[in-house]
Amino acid sequence: MQHNILFIFKEEEITIFINDIEFPDQIINSIENNNLVIFAGAGVSMGEPTNLPDFNKLTINIARGSGKIFNSSNDTPERFLGELEKQDVPVQKLASNQLDEHNLQPNQYHKSLVELFPKNDIKIVTTNYDLMLEETCENLNIDTKIYTNPAFPRGGNFSGIVHLHGKVGEFQNMVLTDSDFGRAYMVYGEASRFLSQLFNSDYTVLFIGYSYNDTVLRYFTRALPNLTGEKRYIFSNESEKSPHEFLGLTPIIYDSGDYENLYNTIQKIGDFSTRSRTSWDKRIAEISSIKTSEIDLT
């Protein structure tokens, strides 16, 4: 695929467009300085060949055979699952079974995200329960630390993959119901403490695979009312006046449904991280004398 890259120079600022997606210079700088943290949501594991469900679809699947029907227009998945749990439905075990299918394979999203980082210093926080990021690391011969609820590293200084809401195979610690979220974010607060440390650090944070009405983002705002700043970004196919703004997140807009372009764009950003500082500065210097230039950095 041909990558269209456009640099616009205006006074001291540089605006970067990759495949028609506008990227803040802060994102590129954070990759170069190994100071980026990726938050990977359900959308990351929904693409082929992984094809895992989002939280709403997972809730519908768990409810099969219970006599209850989930309707997202008048209920939330975590509250509905909490009601099922009160009726002795083994919510966590059913979820783990649903997401731990045999022959499950990572997709291009997983690979592109892992390759954004140096091999020895991945920084990914995921609210997904599947193990596709770990499998991707194994396929690429990358050895990285894995953390899962409730045993988190220090949020201000960590390296590895963090399963914020638990993972398959350890279903007892999966955060699914309203009670689970309450314990993780309010009562015991392990998730809140980790996130508070992370968001108050020098890291630049990029959310991928979330929608503005995502359950996870709602709990983030409850637990972290000061989720604001110039270093919080989210990929969004909403309009520029997105409700993400009230979350303190700056949207990076891409065309709705154009996931292939998004995959390739993330991969191209990863290419920047493998370019040495000297090579990067030299390439920028080559075009810095003109106001606008379209170039090929491959």
Side-chain angles (χ1 to χ4, degrees):
M1 176 179 178
Q2 178 67 37
H3 297 283
N4 297 315
I5 303 174
L6 180 69
F7 283 64
I8 297 178
F9 296 84
K10 184 177 180 181
E11 296 179 351
E12 304 254 337
E13 297 182 358
I14 302 175
T15 302
I16 304 170
F17 290 84
I18 304 175
N19 297 347
D20 298 322
I21 299 176
E22 180 181 353
F23 282 88
D25 195 32
Q26 178 70 32
I27 296 291
I28 305 301
N29 288 338
S30 68
I31 294 174
E32 180 183 334
N33 297 323
N34 196 24
N35 204 35
L36 178 70
V37 175
I38 292 291
F39 272 71
V44 170
S45 292
M46 291 170 62
E48 295 183 358
T50 316
N51 294 322
L52 288 178
D54 63 12
F55 200 9
N56 285 345
K57 179 63 174 177
L58 177 63
T59 300
I60 293 171
N61 293 345
I62 292 172
R64 286 176 181 163
S66 69
K68 302 290 184 180
I69 299 176
F70 173 63
N71 185 343
S72 60
S73 64
N74 56 27
D75 206 350
T76 62
E78 75 277 12
R79 195 210 67 81
F80 180 86
L81 292 175
E83 291 300 313
L84 288 185
E85 188 175 53
K86 292 175 183 176
Q87 299 175 26
D88 296 325
V89 175
V91 170
Q92 283 79 9
K93 186 173 183 180
L94 289 173
S96 182
N97 292 342
Q98 286 271 337
L99 299 172
D100 195 20
E101 302 173 8
H102 294 296
N103 301 318
L104 200 62
Q105 297 179 39
N107 60 38
Q108 184 59 46
Y109 247 149
H110 300 114
K111 184 173 185 291
S112 296
L113 293 183
V114 167
E115 290 182 338
L116 281 174
F117 301 91
K119 286 189 175 183
N120 62 343
D121 202 3
I122 293 170
K123 296 183 180 70
I124 299 178
V125 178
T126 181
T127 48
N128 297 340
Y129 311 101
D130 63 78
L131 306 179
M132 293 298 94
L133 289 167
E134 288 93 322
E135 186 166 330
T136 299
C137 289
E138 184 176 345
N139 292 343
L140 296 174
N141 295 316
I142 297 172
D143 185 19
T144 190
K145 295 180 180 177
I146 308 297
Y147 303 91
T148 188
N149 177 66
F152 300 120
R154 289 186 299 161
N157 182 19
F158 78 98
S159 176
I161 297 171
V162 178
H163 283 274
L164 195 63
H165 294 161
K167 63 181 182 179
V168 298
E170 299 179 11
F171 63 86
Q172 298 90 340
N173 292 323
M174 290 174 68
V175 177
L176 288 158
T177 69
D178 49 1
S179 295
D180 295 333
F181 277 95
R183 284 190 291 269
Y185 286 90
M186 310 295 178
V187 180
Y188 301 128
E190 298 98 339
S192 292
R193 281 192 292 273
F194 169 74
L195 292 174
S196 180
Q197 293 169 359
L198 193 158
F199 286 116
N200 286 309
S201 72
D202 292 330
Y203 289 133
T204 296
V205 176
L206 176 58
F207 287 81
I208 300 176
Y210 295 93
S211 61
Y212 76 87
N213 59 351
D214 199 294
T215 295
V216 172
L217 294 185
R218 287 192 284 106
Y219 277 92
F220 281 2
T221 56
R222 292 179 191 177
L224 301 168
N226 61 337
L227 182 59
T228 58
E230 297 179 354
K231 298 185 297 182
R232 324 275 193 259
Y233 301 91
I234 184 167
F235 276 115
S236 173
N237 57 25
E238 307 295 331
S239 68
E240 291 188 2
K241 296 185 181 298
S242 160
H244 289 127
E245 293 177 3
F246 86 88
L247 299 174
L249 303 175
T250 300
I252 299 174
I253 308 298
Y254 67 95
D255 289 339
S256 180
D258 193 1
Y259 301 115
E260 182 178 358
N261 184 44
L262 189 56
Y263 295 155
N264 284 286
T265 301
I266 294 171
Q267 183 178 18
K268 189 60 184 177
I269 298 172
D271 291 343
F272 290 153
S273 67
T274 64
R275 189 183 290 272
S276 71
R277 178 61 183 266
T278 301
S279 176
W280 176 257
D281 289 345
K282 180 180 178 181
R283 197 67 174 123
I284 291 294
E286 289 174 357
I287 60 174
S288 62
S289 61
I290 56 180
K291 184 176 181 180
T292 304
S293 177
E294 187 168 345
I295 63 172
D296 182 6
L297 292 184
T298 57

